[in-house]
């Protein structure tokens, strides 16, 4: 089994079907949450360390526990990490307003402020997460539960789903993105007999490798949404359309590793004649993504013939890579390491990465 890991990936997964005081959702919701956690934590797919994945399922997903999970995510992630939050359950919109809430398992309709998580609270909790790569997945407003939620007399002041204003508020700040399962006027569909909701099924396919359309060895945020946004309307006869929100997202940042699964057709090809300086910049950009802990990650530097004791230690993997590549360009690095031996080793791990292939072309 391939044990390659993405150690800087952290996730909080919440799935709620058996609500205590409001209409329940089908058990597919729980399968969605568990399957997302399993794919993220699989060394054959996304490579997250399972120890970095917190699951809150049904009774465990109280208001207090979810808020504590968000605080824990903020405490254990740094700027160079990727933070992933997945929620499958009821989302509620207070009628006549644009205020939305995540409904936790202990939600009581008569006490929303004390038994659910408001958009303001959620936004404040997200602000505390310092990871420069934060992705939120919301699979709410399920068709199997939406009608019951809207018609229940005890909560007749609520509608299902999240307002556009709420979703936009959740992604304020750089490096933050959100994918919601459907437009506010739609429901998140579950096909009869299916193991997953349509949105999460497409998301899982993407994370298993189908969204890695360039076969780079990483799943990137824009590519993942492009895949999901194409698949969901196709599978629902154009009845459901995922939406994407990001306010200051300039980079197509990595969400996870891509270690398997069917690949979507590549839409671009490698061009010959790239400037050498551009290729070096590309290498300096891609290595911190593939080996986020630095040159010692997966012993890549040693496998390339280098001596890690020669390298300077830095607080982030990206800074360590910049320092190591600068040393390598000056003929240092220890042992027999060279730019050629390094790229050869990296290409063994990521044989289809176009930046690395292009770099080799320009240097040989």
């Amino acid at each position: 089994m391939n044990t390659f890991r993405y150690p800087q990936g952290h996730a909080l997964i919440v799935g709620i079907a058996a609500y205590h005081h409001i209409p329940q959702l089908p058990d597919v919701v729980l399968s969605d949450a568990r399957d997302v956690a399993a794919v993220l934590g699989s060394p054959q797919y996304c490579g997250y360390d399972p120890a970095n994945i917190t699951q809150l399922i049904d009774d465990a997903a109280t208001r207090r526990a979810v808020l504590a999970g968000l605080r824990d995510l903020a405490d254990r992630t740094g700027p160079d990490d990727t933070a992933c939050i997945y929620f499958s359950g009821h989302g509620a919109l207070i009628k006549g307003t644009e205020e939305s809430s995540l409904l936790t398992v202990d939600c009581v309709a008569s006490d929303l402020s004390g038994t659910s998580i408001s958009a303001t609270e959620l936004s404040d909790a997200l602000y505390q997460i310092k990871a420069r790569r934060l992705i939120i997945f919301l699979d709410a407003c399920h068709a199997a539960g939406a009608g019951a939620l809207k018609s229940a007399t005890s909560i007749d002041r609520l509608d299902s789903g999240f307002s556009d204003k709420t979703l936009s508020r959740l992604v304020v700040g750089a490096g933050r993105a959100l994918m919601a399962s459907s437009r506010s006027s739609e429901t998140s569909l579950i096909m009869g007999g299916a193991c997953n909701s349509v949105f999460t099924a497409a998301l899982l396919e993407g994370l298993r490798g189908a969204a890695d359309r360039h076969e780079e060895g990483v799943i990137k945020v824009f590519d993942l949404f492009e895949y999901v946004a194409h698949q969901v309307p196709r599978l629902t006869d154009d009845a459901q359309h995922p939406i994407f929100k990001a306010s200051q997202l300039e980079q197509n940042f990595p969400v996870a590793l891509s270690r398997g699964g069917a690949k979507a057709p590549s839409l671009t090809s490698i061009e010959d004649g790239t400037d050498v300086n551009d290729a070096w910049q590309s290498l300096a950009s891609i290595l911190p993504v593939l080996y986020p802990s630095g040159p010692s990650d997966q012993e890549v530097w040693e496998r390339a013939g280098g001596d890690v004791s020669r390298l300077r230690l830095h607080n982030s993997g990206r800074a360590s890579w910049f320092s190591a590549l600068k040393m390598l360009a000056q003929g240092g690095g220890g042992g027999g390491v060279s730019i050629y031996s390094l790229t050869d080793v990296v290409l063994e791990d990521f044989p289809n990465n176009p930046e690395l292939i292009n770099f080799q072309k320009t240097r040989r």
Side-chain angles (χ1 to χ4, degrees), residues 13 32-42 48 50 53-55 204:
I13 310 295
D32 284 346
R34 292 183 177 120
D35 289 347
V36 169
V39 169
L40 287 176
S42 170
Y48 281 40
I53 301 174
T54 299
Q55 295 186 64
L204 289 167

Side-chain angles (χ1 to χ4, degrees), residues 25 35 60 66 72 91 94 98 101 104 115 120 147 192 200 236 245 256 261 268 270 274 276 307 313 325 360 364:
L25 290 169
D35 289 347
V66 173
D72 176 64
I94 300 176
E98 293 189 1
S101 296
T104 51
T115 62
T120 299
T200 296
T236 62
K245 292 286 184 180
T268 60
I270 302 301
T274 300
V276 171
D307 181 355
L313 298 178
L325 290 175
Q360 276 203 332
R364 289 180 170 170

Side-chain angles (χ1 to χ4, degrees), residues 281-294:
Q281 291 176 4
S282 178
L283 188 64
S285 175
I286 195 63
L287 286 176
V289 172
L290 302 180
Y291 304 92
S293 295

Side-chain angles (χ1 to χ4, degrees), residues 16-20 22-27 90 144-146 148:
I16 311 171
Y19 282 89
H20 295 170
I22 62 176
Q24 298 189 4
L25 290 169
D27 287 343
H90 277 310

